Each structure stands twice: as C-alpha cells, then as structure tokens.
Amino acid sequence: MMKIPMSSPDLSEADRQAVIDVINTPILSLGPKVVEFEKAFCDYTGAKHAVAVNSGTAGLHLCVHAAQIGPGDLVITTPFSFVASTNALLFENAVPVFVDIDPKTGNIDAGLVAQAAQDLSAGGKAAEKWLPRQGRGAGKLKALLPVDVFGQPAAMDKINAVAQEYSLKVIEDSCEALGATYQGKKAGTFGDFGIFAFYPNKQMTTGEGGIVITDDAKSADFMRALRNQGRAPGDTWLSHTYLGYNYRLDEMSAALGSAQMSRLDEMLAKRETVAGWYAQRLSEIPQIEIPVVVPATTRMSWFVYVIRLPKELDRAALARRLEARGVPIRPYFLPIHLQPYMVERFGYREGDFPVTEDLGRRGVAVPFSGVMSEAQVDYVCEAIRQEIAG
Ligand SMILES: *Cc1c(COP(=O)(O)O)cnc(C)c1O
C-alpha cells in the first residue's frame, strides 16, 4: 500500500542552504533578506511596493487597516473561501456581506457583486436583503474583497468596474493564486492591494509567511509601520506612532522565500503537470466532476486539486475507505457562513448561499503537490475509482 501525503512542499538543496546561510549570521530579523524577498515580488508582479509579513492572514489584516475599514463598515466578500479572508474583516469589527458564487469556478459571482453594491449604496430597504439577520453594521459600503479560489482568478474586470462605479477599495485575496493570470495580467495586481501566502501547502513556501503588494506608497509605509509594532520611520525601538502588531517575517523565512521565488515558474509548471495527470484519469470516472478552468483564466496556478462528488454519495464514508488505502481527501471548503462562530454572530442558516453550500457538500481536495509522481497520481485515482464504484 502507498501512503500518499495530502500536500508536500517542493524544496531544493539550494532552498535549504539559503536558510542555513542566514542562521550562520547574527541577523535573524529586520535584515536584508526581507528586503530582497520584497524586491523579488515587485519584480515578479510589477507592483511598486511589497510588504512581507508572517502570514497571509496578517497581510489581509494590514490591508483592511490600510483601506480604512473599521467598525460596522460593509465589505462584499465570498462565503466560499478559507476563513482568513472573512476573519481579517472581523478583526476590525467590519461586517462581511456575503454574496454567492459562480458554480463553475467557485469564485464570487460578479453579477451579484454589482447588484449588492448598487443596493447597499442605495441603503434602506434595498440594502436589507444582502445584510445578515443579526450583527449588521451601521457603517457604509467600503470595499470589495474577492478571493482567487483554488488558484483561479476571480472575474476581476467586472469586480473592478463595480469598485470604480461606487468608489470602493478592492482587496484581492490571491493567497491561492500566485502566478495565475486573468486575461494575461497577474493575479494580485488588480485591486488596491493583493495578498499572497506561503504556508507549506501553497505553491511556494516560507514555512509561515505572506506578502502584500500595492502601488500605493502611503499604504505600503503604513503597513510597514503596523507590521513592526506601529513604529513609523524615525521611531526608536520603544517609541510607537501607531497601535501596531508583530507581523514581521523573519530572515530565515524570507531567504527561503527568495530561493523559492527563483524557481517559481518551474514549480508552477510541475504542479500543472500533476493537475494534467489528474484530469486525464479522473475525467474517465463518470461520477466525478473535475475542475473547470474558464477562458478568462489565461494561466491557472494550481493550489489544490478539488473534485466534485455526486450529491448522493456519502463523502465521509468515502474518505474513511480511502484513508484506509493511504489516500487522504479533505472537504474543500466548508462554507464560512456556516462555521459555528459565524452562525452565532450573524445568524446565518443553511440555505442562505445555495451554490456555496452545494460545492461545500460535494467538493473534496485530493492529494496534490508539485513533487507528486505519476505513479502516486495513478494510485490515488485508481483507489478513488474503485471506492466510488464499490
Ligand atoms: C492560505 C490562505 C490565506 C492565508 O493563510 P495563512 O495561513 O494565514 O498564511 C488567506 N486566504 C486564503 C484564501 C488562503 O487560502
């Protein structure tokens, strides 16, 4: 029996050496490696500024600050995401206003974003139907927070058009989409802010880590201060202009990040090959729907490989049978609005976002990484085929 890991980082000897080189110096934080890593991101994305932080969630939180989103403010976002995209708003007591998703991609439905923005800007009765049952804010609509789900960019042209019409900030959560392109332009570069994340299951890793890109110098400076305990330029170690955080990325992580960045396109190509192996094999299993890449996605950056099972299939039982064969699978995503703390705070119920809930019930991530072998993919697919048939 093979034992297949859910995901694995793609690490080279040079990547490991880059970390060791830092540990052999006395500078483990606030040094040149972070600066180098940020420069690599500016070069790769074309953004004017990059601010490295110690997680994608920290990056999202700083963007919420920089966009001046505060208590009661409304932000249109998606319930089909990793919880961090919504949590970053809750940290500042803003109110996430969910709209449902496009069933093909799992990304926020841009048509619904447009309707919601119109109604929320109008206020009164029109706005009511978009707001949660309880915990509504009294603030006004401030921003849009789309997520590039599973490595496929959201419909950013339409989302940006809505933002323009209603003067909204756009925070693009590209934590799952480093290297993806939408109509030829890189994910993360569409909004006022783009965020990437580097947990070990992401396309590249720093262990823990994240980065914000933006063209806005003032926001970048503000975020640099906030990540470093609120120290503005000129502040001494114990003087703090702002209420800040410790969101600093350490030098070892940054060095690993730069080493990984230098191989990014090679790593993305390997992931694409693995996704191709899956598509070939899983498309022959009639009960399974494989991921759809839409034409606007001019480059998919494969983060996870999420398939959809038939409604009637018992997903938990399938997971147990596959686990026994050394093949882990994970439900992906569980809708954010149905997480216990969200139900308690906003009174959401099953049925509120039907497309999200449908994908939430039927979606599973299969083992995926750029270092998987074709034999491993064969083994996973054969196990799935047999267990679904049986
Ligand atoms: C991974 C991820 C993040 C950030 O995760 P961290 O673990 O905080 O680095 C944020 N949003 C989405 C959609 C993600 O997938």
Side-chain angles (χ1 to χ4, degrees):
M1 184 179 102
M2 281 194 192
K3 190 129 182 49
I4 314 282
M6 194 64 213
S7 73
S8 316
D10 180 344
L11 297 171
S12 70
E13 264 322 298
D15 294 344
R16 295 189 181 93
Q17 192 57 50
V19 177
I20 292 168
D21 289 348
V22 173
I23 305 177
N24 286 329
T25 76
I27 304 171
L28 306 187
S29 188
L30 291 169
K33 294 297 173 187
V34 165
V35 178
E36 201 178 292
F37 183 47
E38 291 174 339
K39 170 139 192 340
F41 255 83
C42 289
D43 292 346
Y44 186 77
T45 59
K48 291 204 178 93
H49 309 278
V51 181
V53 287
N54 53 18
S55 73
T57 307
L60 279 159
H61 188 194
L62 294 188
C63 293
V64 170
H65 267 285
Q68 300 185 343
I69 295 164
D73 286 341
L74 309 178
V75 179
I76 298 174
T77 190
T78 172
F80 191 68
S81 172
F82 182 62
V83 289
S85 54
T86 286
N87 288 354
L89 299 168
L90 300 183
F91 296 161
E92 295 308 313
N93 291 305
V95 177
V97 178
F98 291 135
V99 302
D100 215 342
I101 57 174
D102 173 346
K104 280 200 295 296
T105 59
N107 281 324
I108 196 165
D109 182 326
L112 291 176
V113 172
Q115 284 176 38
Q118 183 175 32
D119 289 347
L120 291 164
S121 301
K125 262 263 158 301
E128 291 269 312
K129 73 167 194 250
W130 301 98
L131 295 171
R133 285 184 187 82
Q134 64 194 45
R136 300 171 166 197
K140 59 192 238 350
L141 181 62
K142 275 278 182 69
L144 308 177
L145 199 167
V147 179
D148 301 327
V149 169
F150 305 154
Q152 175 150 242
M156 291 310 298
D157 57 344
K158 300 192 187 79
I159 289 165
N160 276 351
V162 173
Q164 195 127 55
E165 184 167 354
Y166 299 98
S167 302
L168 306 171
K169 295 279 187 204
V170 176
I171 299 173
E172 185 185 3
D173 180 346
S174 298
C175 288
E176 303 191 351
L178 177 60
T181 63
Y182 175 81
Q183 296 175 351
K185 188 168 146 59
K186 284 211 171 81
T189 64
F190 287 90
D192 298 276
F193 308 99
I195 306 99
F196 301 102
F198 313 119
Y199 185 74
N201 72 338
K202 300 267 148 100
Q203 289 89 331
M204 61 158 275
T205 189
T206 59
E208 298 284 357
I211 203 163
V212 176
I213 57 170
T214 183
D215 285 341
D216 176 21
K218 252 178 81 179
S219 292
D221 286 345
F222 185 47
M223 291 191 278
R224 284 179 206 287
L226 292 190
R227 79 173 164 185
N228 186 23
Q229 302 284 16
R231 297 181 184 102
D235 279 357
T236 61
W237 189 251
L238 294 178
S239 81
H240 307 265
T241 300
Y242 309 108
L243 167 64
Y245 308 90
N246 181 354
Y247 284 169
R248 295 185 302 260
L249 187 69
D250 65 79
E251 288 285 287
M252 289 76 75
S253 300
L256 178 56
S258 291
Q260 290 255 292
M261 274 301 277
S262 71
R263 297 195 298 121
L264 180 62
D265 282 311
E266 170 204 319
M267 294 195 297
L268 294 180
K270 282 159 77 182
R271 297 175 84 92
E272 177 150 31
T273 300
V274 175
W277 291 335
Y278 267 123
Q280 223 173 28
R281 288 157 181 81
L282 294 177
S283 58
E284 283 166 13
I285 305 175
Q287 297 94 329
I288 286 178
E289 291 170 44
I290 63 168
V292 173
V293 178
V294 296
T297 304
T298 40
R299 185 190 196 186
M300 179 81 182
S301 172
W302 292 93
F303 165 50
V304 281
Y305 200 86
V306 175
I307 59 174
R308 296 174 192 170
L309 301 171
K311 264 191 186 58
E312 61 283 358
L313 195 135
D314 183 342
R315 181 171 62 179
L318 176 69
R320 282 194 297 274
R321 292 201 301 275
L322 287 171
E323 190 73 53
R325 299 175 66 142
V327 176
I329 60 171
R330 302 252 187 284
Y332 230 89
F333 294 110
L334 297 174
I336 296 176
H337 67 284
L338 297 178
Q339 300 288 343
Y341 68 98
M342 293 297 291
V343 170
E344 188 181 318
R345 182 157 173 170
F346 296 109
Y348 286 117
R349 295 178 197 150
E350 223 156 295
D352 284 344
F353 303 99
V355 183
T356 295
E357 290 167 28
D358 178 53
L359 299 197
R361 271 191 288 271
R362 298 197 295 124
V364 292
V366 298
F368 186 75
S369 74
V371 297
M372 265 184 104
S373 68
E374 194 164 8
Q376 286 179 311
V377 173
D378 261 333
Y379 181 85
V380 170
C381 294
E382 187 51 25
I384 291 173
R385 196 184 62 76
Q386 288 176 10
E387 292 302 341
I388 283 186

